[in-house]
């Protein structure tokens, strides 16, 4: 069944009633009807559909699977009053019409046996093999008795994990939902709405990601009718009124067909009606629909190369609408979709949207991964020609599915998984970003992802240490949104020198990043709570937890300073002048009793002394501790200066905490970096490395312009 066949509401209902009657007859034939050549009458139509796509397929496994399913479900009835066996037969017919292989059809016939009958998974594996057993297990629901309210979300998690090794699990689930949505009218309105919402938020998005457009568009119309009945009825009326008049696209299609025939291009040209939700969206977007807006021309040619030949004839013999041209052949969508999109006007001024694709592209556009065959067969065994088809022969692990499997394992609870899944599936576009460093592969990220997302995709939990990024050679903030084709270098601080900020959640869009950040922030709060818990003795801490607060376990530069005059405050290195050994330092008591340690020549320290604050004697404990320092590089402006400077910093092990690049003045630029060094003795070597960068004529440790608060 074409997913874009447009019909009015009463026609759709009549079709469903006709299908329901046919399925009831099939159920009776299954129980009482004769068989011809060993094939039950109830699945002859299914076998014919299967043989259209796979002429040489053996039907023995289908017959055996049907016999098991019919016997297992015998006596069970659907809420509509039909024999239950009509449901797996209808689901399998949907898959057969889309071109699914024999293994998928066998599993589809058996998909409810383990869940609803006495047939066991071990029996399915023994009688039909491991592949069929894996598919049936993947779509079998978890029991509410065991999982309660989390049963639905955990069932989806289980299904997605199973799809990680065989994506055909999702194909069966989608076909199952199509038939359930077709027969949803027997349910209570509130249950219809609940199922429709899950279908909209998850199943339709999965169909889009898998490229199964025939399923996606039918599900969209079925959900549209339940969730927005008034808009659905209005769109149906528009289609019905349009159907009473001659279709203005037919003469355009005839002219296009004649043009291609004269050019020697073998092609099928037909008018492809919009489905109801598409009619509604177009009407809202355009503020109304013209006579040519209820459909598009679909041109199907024999070979991929003929697509561009047909496009050339269209743009030569008709007036092209340049703004409507999109090339999804040279740049396919991430769900394998390929077509040329354009729009042309004929001599009468009728504008027609046009899709141009080859027969192979059309098969994949309609059935997505289902059209790509069995992922466990070799490339040579796959149906269809070699070449481009061979490159896509294994659809088992699309990039988005691999990422989903990685983050779902970290989702702490079913609610988090369910919320993140729906949000992740809504992002139906992808970008590719490349690493600046050689040897690192490209990253596939959802559209809207930023540097934080790239960091967690590249480094996992090590991304907690990310302090900055360089995109296309320019230093940017971690909140910067990436674009397709960007080159990215992620800057990581040494272990323990940095940690994620709560602000990262505002820019992160991938579940992998959000889950990791939330988990780390929660762990940090727990560590802080344990450290400051009143009355907790060291012996009271839980077994296995490191004893003492994080500051005691992770030395900080401040611990290299000691207070000499017996003052009981805690030293803190001032960030205005960033003192390091062996600078001469002095201290002043600030709010909370903390002693702010400044360089002796710091203007802020001088201002405090002039204001009458008494100095506190401080000294360095050691000259080899880690330190925080601010450096300023003065240079002549040139291309790649920033890239070369940050390379020099990275080579010396310096972690960038903050960077500021002032606008060029008279071809001179000033870069100011706040850095964390693992060893203060490495500062002179770092400054020499920076001075060695071509164009840099001075590197210094800047002092604040004047006195202020510490």
């Amino acid at each position: 069944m074409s997913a874009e066949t447009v019909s009015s509401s009463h026609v759709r209902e009549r079709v469903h009633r006709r299908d329901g009657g046919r399925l009831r007859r099939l159920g009776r034939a299954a129980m009482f009807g004769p068989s011809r050549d060993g094939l039950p009458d109830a699945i002859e139509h299914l076998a014919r559909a299967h043989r259209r796509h796979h002429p040489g397929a053996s039907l023995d496994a289908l017959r055996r699977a049907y016999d098991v399913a019919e016997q297992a479900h015998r006596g069970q009835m659907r809420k509509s009053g039909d024999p239950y066996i009509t449901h797996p037969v209808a689901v399998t017919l949907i898959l057969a019409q889309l071109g699914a292989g024999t293994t998928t059809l066998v599993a589809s016939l058996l998909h409810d046996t383990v869940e609803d009958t006495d047939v066991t998974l071990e029996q399915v594996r023994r009688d039909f093999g491991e592949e069929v057993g894996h598919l049936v297990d993947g779509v079998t629901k978890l029991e509410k008795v065991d999982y309660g309210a989390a049963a639905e979300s955990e069932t989806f998690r289980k299904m997605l994990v199973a799809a990680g090794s065989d994506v055909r699990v999702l194909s069966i689930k989608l076909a199952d939902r199509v038939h359930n949505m077709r027969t949803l009218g027997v349910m209570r309105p509130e249950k219809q709405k609940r199922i429709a919402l899950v279908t909209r938020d998850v199943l339709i998005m999965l169909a889009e990601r898998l490229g199964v457009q025939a399923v996606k568009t039918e599900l969209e119309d079925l959900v549209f009718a339940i969730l927005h009945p008034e808009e659905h009825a209005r769109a149906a009326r528009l289609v019905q009124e349009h159907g009473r008049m001659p279709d203005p696209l037919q003469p355009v299609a005839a002219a296009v067909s004649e043009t291609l025939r004269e050019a020697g291009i073998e092609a099928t040209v037909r008018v492809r009606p919009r489905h109801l939700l598409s009619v509604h969206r177009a009407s809202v977007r355009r503020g109304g629909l013209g006579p040519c807006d209820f459909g598009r021309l679909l041109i199907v040619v024999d070979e991929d190369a003929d697509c561009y030949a047909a496009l050339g004839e269209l743009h030569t013999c008709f007036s092209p609408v340049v703004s409507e041209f999109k090339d999804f052949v040279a740049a396919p969508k991430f769900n394998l979709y390929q077509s040329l999109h354009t729009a042309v006007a004929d001599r009468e001024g009728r504008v027609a949207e046009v899709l141009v694709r080859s027969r192979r592209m059309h098969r994949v556009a309609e059935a997505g991964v289902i059209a790509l065959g069995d992922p466990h067969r070799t490339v040579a065994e796959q149906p269809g020609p070699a070449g481009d088809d061979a490159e896509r022969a294994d659809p088992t692990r699309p990039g988005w599915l691999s990422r989903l499997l990685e983050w779902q394992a970290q989702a702490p609870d079913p609610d988090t998984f369910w919320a993140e899944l729906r949000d992740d599936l809504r992002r139906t576009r992808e970008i590719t970003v490349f690493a600046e460093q050689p040897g690192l592969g490209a990253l596939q990220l959802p559209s809207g992802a930023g540097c934080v997302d790239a960091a967690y995709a590249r480094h996992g939990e090590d991304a907690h240490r990310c302090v900055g990024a360089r995109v296309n050679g320019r230093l940017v903030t971690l909140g910067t949104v990436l674009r397709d084709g960007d080159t990215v270098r992620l800057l990581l601080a040494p272990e323990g020198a940095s940690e994620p900020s709560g602000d990262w959640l505002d820019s992160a869009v991938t579940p992998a990043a959000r889950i990791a950040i939330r988990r780390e922030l929660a762990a940090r709060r727990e560590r802080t709570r344990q450290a400051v818990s009143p009355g907790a003795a060291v012996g009271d801490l839980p077994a296995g937890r490191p004893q003492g607060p994080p500051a005691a376990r992770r030395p900080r530069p401040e611990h290299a300073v000691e207070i000499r005059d017996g003052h009981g405050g805690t030293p803190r290195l001032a960030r205005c002048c960033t003192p390091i050994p062996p600078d001469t330092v002095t201290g002043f008591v600030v709010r909370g009793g903390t002693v702010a340690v400044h360089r002796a020549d710091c203007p802020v320290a001088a201002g405090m002394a002039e204001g009458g604050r008494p100095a506190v004697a401080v000294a360095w404990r050691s000259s080899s501790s880690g330190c925080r320092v601010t450096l300023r590089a003065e240079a002549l402006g040139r291309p790649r200066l920033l890239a070369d400077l940050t390379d020099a910093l990275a080579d010396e092990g310096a972690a960038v905490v903050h960077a500021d690049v002032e606008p060029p003045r008279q071809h001179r630029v000033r870069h100011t970096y706040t850095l964390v060094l693992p060893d203060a003795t490495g500062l002179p070597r770092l400054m020499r490395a920076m001075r060695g960068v071509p164009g840099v004529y001075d590197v210094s440790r800047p002092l604040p312009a004047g006195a202020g608060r510490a």
Side-chain angles (χ1 to χ4, degrees), residues 77-131:
M77 308 296 287
R78 304 196 82 210
K79 289 190 177 181
S80 60
D82 298 327
Y84 195 89
I85 189 61
T86 59
H87 170 65
V89 169
V91 171
T92 308
L93 178 59
I94 292 169
L95 291 167
Q97 291 170 334
L98 291 171
T102 304
T103 301
T104 308
L105 302 187
V106 169
S108 176
L109 283 170
L110 300 169
H111 80 272
D112 276 340
T113 55
V114 174
E115 181 180 324
D116 295 332
T117 75
D118 294 333
V119 175
T120 66
L121 196 57
E122 289 71 24
Q123 180 183 344
V124 172
R125 289 194 174 106
R126 184 183 66 247
D127 295 343
F128 297 96
E130 285 294 328
E131 282 186 43

Side-chain angles (χ1 to χ4, degrees), residues 257-279:
S257 182
E258 178 65 18
T259 299
L260 297 179
R261 187 186 62 78
E262 291 176 355
I265 300 173
E266 292 291 333
T268 300
V269 182
R270 63 185 178 88
V271 177
R272 186 181 178 99
R274 292 182 182 273
H275 62 104
L276 289 182
L277 182 60
S278 179
V279 169

Side-chain angles (χ1 to χ4, degrees), residues 383-433:
D388 291 344
D389 254 0
E391 295 177 4
R392 299 184 177 89
D394 183 3
T396 305
R397 291 293 289 270
W400 63 268
L401 182 56
S402 296
R403 294 195 301 271
L404 191 156
L405 293 174
E406 290 172 5
W407 70 253
Q408 68 81 26
Q410 306 300 323
D413 57 77
D415 290 340
T416 299
F417 166 74
W418 196 236
E420 294 292 352
L421 175 66
R422 288 182 295 182
D423 186 67
D424 191 26
L425 291 177
R426 276 196 291 268
R427 301 182 181 278
T428 56
R429 295 181 57 199
E430 286 194 345
I431 62 171
T432 302
V433 298

Side-chain angles (χ1 to χ4, degrees), residues 450-453 455 463 466-469 476-481 490-491 504 507:
C451 295
V452 169
D453 300 292
C466 193
V467 294
V476 299
T477 65
L478 288 177
T480 300
V481 175
L490 301 161
L491 307 176
W504 290 12
S507 57

Side-chain angles (χ1 to χ4, degrees), residues 51-341:
R51 282 280 177 82
R52 280 197 296 270
H53 294 277
H54 304 274
S58 172
L59 302 179
D60 179 64
L62 280 180
R63 177 190 57 75
R64 291 190 294 113
Y66 174 77
D67 288 342
V68 171
E70 191 279 319
Q71 184 175 357
H73 291 297
R74 186 172 293 177
Q76 294 180 349
M77 308 296 287
R78 304 196 82 210
K79 289 190 177 181
S80 60
D82 298 327
Y84 195 89
I85 189 61
T86 59
H87 170 65
V89 169
V91 171
T92 308
L93 178 59
I94 292 169
L95 291 167
Q97 291 170 334
L98 291 171
T102 304
T103 301
T104 308
L105 302 187
V106 169
S108 176
L109 283 170
L110 300 169
H111 80 272
D112 276 340
T113 55
V114 174
E115 181 180 324
D116 295 332
T117 75
D118 294 333
V119 175
T120 66
L121 196 57
E122 289 71 24
Q123 180 183 344
V124 172
R125 289 194 174 106
R126 184 183 66 247
D127 295 343
F128 297 96
E130 285 294 328
E131 282 186 43
V132 172
H134 178 77
L135 297 177
V136 172
D137 185 30
V139 295
T140 298
K141 295 177 183 176
L142 298 173
E143 294 290 343
K144 285 192 175 182
V145 174
D146 299 324
Y147 289 86
E152 184 172 38
S153 61
E154 289 302 301
T155 294
F156 270 97
R157 191 200 296 255
K158 169 176 171 282
M159 178 184 67
L160 290 166
V161 170
S165 58
D166 197 328
V167 77
R168 292 175 294 180
V169 170
L170 296 179
S171 302
I172 296 172
K173 179 61 180 178
L174 289 173
D176 175 69
R177 183 54 60 99
V178 168
H179 185 247
N180 282 334
M181 289 295 297
R182 287 176 180 174
T183 57
L184 202 60
V186 298
M187 300 288 188
R188 300 187 307 275
E190 59 271 18
K191 189 168 184 178
Q192 289 186 37
K193 185 174 182 180
R194 183 184 66 79
I195 294 174
L197 286 171
V198 174
T199 303
R200 181 195 66 186
D201 294 343
V202 179
L203 274 303
I204 288 175
M205 297 296 101
L206 283 173
E208 168 73 14
R209 296 242 177 160
L210 295 170
V212 193
Q213 294 298 316
V215 167
K216 172 181 175 284
T217 51
E218 181 169 358
L219 286 177
E220 283 182 332
D221 277 358
L222 293 167
V223 168
F224 184 39
I226 293 172
L227 298 183
H228 305 283
E230 294 182 2
E231 291 85 348
H232 180 272
R234 188 180 304 117
R237 284 196 301 272
L238 287 174
V239 171
Q240 191 174 19
E241 292 168 2
H242 174 74
R244 297 193 186 106
M245 302 177 292
D247 189 347
L249 288 180
Q250 290 294 347
V252 181
V256 168
S257 182
E258 178 65 18
T259 299
L260 297 179
R261 187 186 62 78
E262 291 176 355
I265 300 173
E266 292 291 333
T268 300
V269 182
R270 63 185 178 88
V271 177
R272 186 181 178 99
R274 292 182 182 273
H275 62 104
L276 289 182
L277 182 60
S278 179
V279 169
H280 170 71
R281 287 172 174 168
S283 177
V284 171
R285 184 172 64 251
R286 301 173 185 179
L289 294 177
C292 294
D293 293 336
F294 286 84
R296 292 177 286 189
L297 298 189
L298 174 63
I299 301 175
V300 180
V301 295
D302 288 337
E303 303 295 336
D304 292 3
D306 293 339
C307 292
Y308 291 101
L311 180 72
E313 292 298 325
L314 283 175
H315 285 186
T316 300
C317 300
F318 297 86
S319 299
V321 181
V322 179
S323 61
E324 295 295 322
F325 175 67
K326 297 182 181 68
D327 188 347
F328 295 118
V329 172
K333 293 184 179 181
F334 74 98
N335 62 358
L336 308 179
Y337 176 85
Q338 288 183 287
S339 281
L340 297 176
H341 290 206

Side-chain angles (χ1 to χ4, degrees), residues 431-435 439-445 458:
I431 62 171
T432 302
V433 298
F434 302 92
L440 296 179
L443 286 177
Q444 300 289 134
L445 297 169
R458 175 72 71 192

Side-chain angles (χ1 to χ4, degrees), residues 615-633:
V616 176
V618 294
W620 298 109
R621 295 180 186 272
S622 167
S623 62
S624 61
S625 299
C627 64
R628 182 185 182 110
V629 63
T630 300
L631 297 179
R632 177 173 294 159

